[in-house]
């Protein structure tokens, strides 16, 4: 990575701030199984929504709305929509993966503190479609940026988020009285969690693996093989990160094994395994070995 030459505007992130941003990205998880019963404080929810509202949007359109859903009966109805949609999706899954698909937990609609539907109002800038005349779908992408802001801010606040897309859109619109010109983009389960898993659930269950980034980077055109030095730099980072991650996964597995061999605690702590995430494990090894975490190394 090239040395930084000059401060740009005097508000550069220092190393701690950079680490925190990367930490939120690398330890964010889609959460379905680890919600705890605690309510989510309105002050925290306000911060998450404000983060979402500061997402970029085409033509500064800000096409989003945020429907906060707490009512248990309504949530059960949404869950019924999920169950029906999952049955409809099942035949499209390869035959040999259908049993695993059925076992996967793919939502936390009723267990989470609340649900949030983030929508896109497709008519919000209908008279001045700056940036959308050729590409009208840019409003949808803008709303996805708001979802990601919400998700990362939630991770930083220790709040879990799980995205449920296995729902028939028109049925959801009817249930939530969403008008015709508004598209639901994300149905999210949101709440305090007992832990953030060290790797994606679908990876842990053998459904998929993270693709090697060097193979996804091209040069100049879609056919370009990619710049060799850049690919090597990425590969070096990936190797460091996957070593960190394996150590965390191993630590989590060891902890789980230890727990199963020990007497069950009288009052299990909801946060008992929350420290087993990428940062704390790697930070502890860093202090033992003198090496930096991935984010520290990247800026050197
Ligand atoms: C657009 C979108 C839709 C998703 N829909 C679902 C879903 O219906 N059910 C589910 O369990 N996870 C869903 N996910 C979560 C992905 O499975 C998850 O992001 C992926 O496995 C990687 O895991 P991670 O988010 O923990 O890194 C969705 C994610 C995105 C971005």
């Amino acid at each position: 990575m090239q040395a930084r030459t000059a401060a740009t505007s005097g508000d550069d992130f220092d190393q701690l701030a950079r680490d925190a941003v990367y930490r939120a990205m690398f330890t964010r998880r889609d959460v379905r199984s680890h919600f705890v019963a605690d309510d989510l404080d309105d002050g925290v929810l306000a911060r998450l929504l404000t983060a979402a509202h500061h997402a970029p949007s085409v033509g500064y359109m800000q096409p989003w709305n945020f429907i906060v859903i707490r009512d248990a009966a309504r949530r059960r109805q949404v869950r019924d929509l999920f169950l029906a949609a999952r049955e409809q999706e099942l035949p499209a899954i390869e035959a040999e993966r259908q049993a695993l698909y059925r076992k996967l937990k793919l939502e936390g609609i009723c267990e989470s503190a609340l649900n949030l539907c983030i929508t896109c109002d497709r008519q919000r800038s209908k008279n001045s479609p700056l940036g959308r005349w050729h590409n009208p779908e840019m409003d949808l992408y803008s709303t996805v940026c708001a979802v990601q802001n919400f998700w990362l801010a939630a991770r930083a606040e220790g709040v879990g988020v799980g995205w449920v897309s296995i729902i028939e859109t028109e049925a959801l619109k009817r249930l939530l009285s969403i008008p015709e010109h508004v598209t639901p983009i994300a149905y999210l389960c949101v709440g305090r969690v007992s832990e953030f898993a060290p790797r994606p659930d679908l990876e842990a269950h053998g459904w998929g693996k993270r693709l090697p980034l060097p193979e996804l980077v091209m040069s100049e055109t879609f056919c370009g093989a990619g710049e060799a030095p850049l690919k090597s730099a990425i590969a070096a980072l990936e190797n460091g990160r996957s070593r960190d991650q394996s150590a965390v996964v191993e630590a989590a597995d060891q902890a789980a094994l230890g727990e199963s061999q020990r007497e069950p605690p009288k009052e299990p702590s909801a946060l008992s395994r929350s420290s087993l995430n990428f940062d704390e494990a790697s930070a502890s090894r860093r202090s033992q070995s003198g090496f930096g975490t991935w984010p520290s190394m990247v800026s050197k």
Side-chain angles (χ1 to χ4, degrees):
M1 172 157 280
Q2 276 192 330
R4 294 151 61 86
T5 46
T8 43
S9 59
D11 63 351
D12 275 5
F13 283 32
D14 63 16
Q15 186 61 54
L16 274 178
R18 279 197 294 279
D19 282 1
V21 172
Y22 286 117
R23 178 181 179 185
M25 290 174 181
F26 291 138
T27 65
R28 180 209 53 77
R29 281 278 77 82
D30 185 86
V31 178
R32 309 100 190 227
S33 313
H34 301 116
F35 289 109
V36 295
D38 308 3
D39 284 341
L40 190 63
D41 189 79
D42 269 352
V44 176
L45 182 57
R47 289 200 288 276
L48 303 186
L49 292 172
T50 305
H53 187 47
H54 280 70
S57 60
V58 63
Y60 203 16
M61 179 186 177
Q62 305 160 71
W64 39 72
N65 284 90
F66 305 96
I67 310 174
V68 178
I69 301 146
R70 300 183 196 265
D71 181 66
R74 182 169 288 109
R75 289 209 255 167
R76 277 195 298 276
Q77 288 177 302
V78 176
R79 183 150 192 283
D80 287 344
L81 294 183
F82 160 81
L83 291 173
R86 192 181 60 165
E87 287 310 305
Q88 287 161 353
E89 185 170 82
L90 184 67
I93 305 288
E94 289 169 291
E96 58 274 21
R97 302 184 101 193
Q98 289 189 2
L100 175 56
Y101 176 89
R102 274 189 183 284
K103 273 197 240 155
L104 295 170
K105 171 132 175 75
L106 298 174
E107 54 77 37
I109 296 168
C110 296
E111 310 92 285
S112 49
L114 57 92
N115 295 177
L116 181 73
C117 185
I118 304 186
T119 60
C120 175
D121 181 344
R122 310 226 54 198
Q123 292 183 358
R124 197 159 287 172
S125 69
K126 66 173 181 234
N127 297 325
S128 302
L130 193 163
R132 292 183 57 234
W133 192 78
H134 292 92
N135 298 297
E137 71 281 10
M138 289 296 157
D139 54 352
L140 304 173
Y141 304 158
S142 303
T143 309
V144 175
C145 293
V147 177
Q148 181 73 347
N149 268 18
F150 184 92
W151 211 338
L152 291 173
R155 176 60 187 94
E157 297 274 5
V159 172
V161 173
W163 187 326
V164 188
S165 58
I166 306 169
I167 294 180
E168 206 261 298
T169 301
E170 288 307 316
L172 183 68
K173 285 180 77 163
R174 281 194 296 279
L175 190 60
L176 302 183
S177 305
I178 296 173
E180 183 58 32
H181 64 281
V182 175
T183 302
I185 298 297
Y187 193 89
L188 304 177
C189 309
V190 181
R192 293 282 172 203
V193 291
S194 57
E195 69 170 73
F196 289 92
R199 56 183 164 156
D201 242 33
L202 291 186
E203 198 175 295
H205 286 95
W207 186 267
K209 287 198 284 210
R210 194 171 302 283
L211 302 173
L213 177 56
E215 289 175 21
L216 305 175
V217 178
M218 291 118 163
S219 44
E220 308 302 339
T221 69
F222 202 81
C223 313
E227 299 166 12
L230 174 60
K231 288 187 165 211
S232 308
I234 294 169
L237 286 179
E238 287 209 319
N239 290 339
R241 240 185 79 64
S242 72
R243 268 199 307 278
D244 277 337
Q245 197 141 21
S246 322
V248 174
V249 169
E250 216 173 283
D253 290 347
Q254 287 294 331
L257 186 69
E259 270 166 25
S260 69
Q261 287 169 350
R262 271 199 301 276
E263 290 274 294
K266 290 202 177 71
E267 281 181 51
S269 156
L271 291 167
S272 57
R273 290 181 61 202
S274 65
S275 62
L276 294 171
N277 65 29
F278 167 76
D279 275 84
E280 295 197 22
S282 60
S284 101
R285 271 177 299 111
R286 171 180 49 170
S287 63
Q288 287 160 19
S289 65
F291 287 114
T293 58
W294 187 96
S296 312
M297 292 189 299
V298 79
S299 58
K300 281 189 182 141

